[in-house]
Amino acid sequence: MTLERLRKDLRAQRKRAKIIEIKVKPKVSVSEEDIRSYYDENFQSDDEVHVRLISLRVPPAASTTEVERVRRSALRVHTEVLGGKDFAELAKTVSEGPNPQGGGDLGWFKRGEMNPEMEQVAFGLADGALSEPVMIGSAFHIVQVTERRKRAPKELPEVRTRIHGILFNRAAEKEYGRWVKDLREKGFV
């Protein structure tokens, strides 16, 4: 990445943050009921999972044939791991996701710290378990939980601020998307 590209990206990020601050945040609120509901659904245990990931990207504007080709490739990788090949070594050679050179190791995660779809997959796996290839976003992912740490659930007052932040950010992203959609419909973008 060039210095000019970095400057351009930073200007765009600042502009987006300012728009969110002015146009989006005033329209977003998180109720106490929302916080309680999220707590009840996600904080009955404060487990953490150690995750490794192999990702195979689907090209932008891919045809169904291209998507199927990537899915079949992901299934082949999945079968190789089940057949005894080392997950980390395969991640180094085939993964297009984060940290391939580190064997796809993403580290430890608590609930609410990762993409909700990825979280559902990861927290649904047992220690050492491997997920089937799952399409999330623009890639097929194979998730492995290498270890799980069980912890006693935290009380709502201890995690209220964290939950509020999670819910607020999700709502703000949705509101931002609506705002951009409205601008496009009106022909401003």
Side-chain angles (χ1 to χ4, degrees):
M1 178 181 288
T2 66
L3 185 58
E4 185 56 38
R5 177 68 185 176
L6 178 63
R7 286 182 179 144
K8 184 178 177 183
D9 288 350
L10 288 173
R11 279 192 296 272
Q13 287 175 7
R14 282 196 310 265
K15 186 184 284 185
R16 185 175 190 269
K18 190 174 256 186
I19 289 169
I20 288 173
E21 188 70 36
I22 295 169
K23 296 286 187 182
V24 175
K25 279 188 175 181
K27 295 179 183 177
V28 176
S29 66
V30 177
S31 71
E32 193 59 36
E33 183 179 308
D34 293 338
I35 292 172
R36 169 56 79 178
S37 176
Y38 188 88
Y39 174 80
D40 290 342
E41 290 174 21
N42 297 289
F43 282 86
Q44 294 308 310
S45 71
D46 202 22
D47 291 359
E48 293 178 309
V49 289
H50 190 247
V51 175
R52 292 197 300 186
L53 182 71
I54 294 175
S55 299
L56 300 175
R57 290 192 183 144
V58 174
S63 68
T64 54
T65 304
E66 290 172 304
V67 172
E68 182 59 23
R69 180 188 55 76
V70 175
R71 187 186 74 76
R72 282 194 309 271
S73 294
L75 283 170
R76 273 194 303 280
V77 171
H78 181 261
T79 302
E80 287 181 42
V81 174
L82 290 177
K85 288 238 177 159
D86 184 58
F87 188 98
E89 289 304 314
L90 278 169
K92 288 176 184 177
T93 58
V94 301
S95 185
E96 299 168 312
N99 197 21
Q101 292 312 308
D105 189 345
L106 301 182
W108 289 95
F109 289 94
K110 295 178 185 173
R111 291 186 186 274
E113 293 181 339
M114 57 182 9
N115 171 302
E117 294 164 305
M118 186 71 71
E119 179 179 293
Q120 186 176 2
V121 172
F123 280 89
L125 294 172
D127 270 3
L130 186 70
S131 76
E132 295 284 328
V134 58
M135 186 164 183
I136 299 173
S138 61
F140 281 93
H141 305 282
I142 302 167
V143 179
Q144 183 181 47
V145 171
T146 59
E147 194 177 347
R148 180 182 295 271
R149 292 191 285 216
K150 296 239 182 239
R151 297 178 180 223
K154 292 184 178 173
E155 296 297 320
L156 179 58
E158 292 179 71
V159 293
R160 177 178 268 108
T161 303
R162 183 169 143 204
I163 293 171
H164 182 274
I166 291 167
L167 296 177
F168 187 88
N169 288 339
R170 286 181 184 175
E173 283 298 319
K174 285 182 186 175
E175 184 59 37
Y176 179 78
R178 273 195 291 271
W179 181 74
V180 169
K181 182 181 174 197
D182 287 347
L183 287 178
R184 285 188 176 128
E185 287 173 357
K186 293 175 183 175
F188 294 123
V189 175

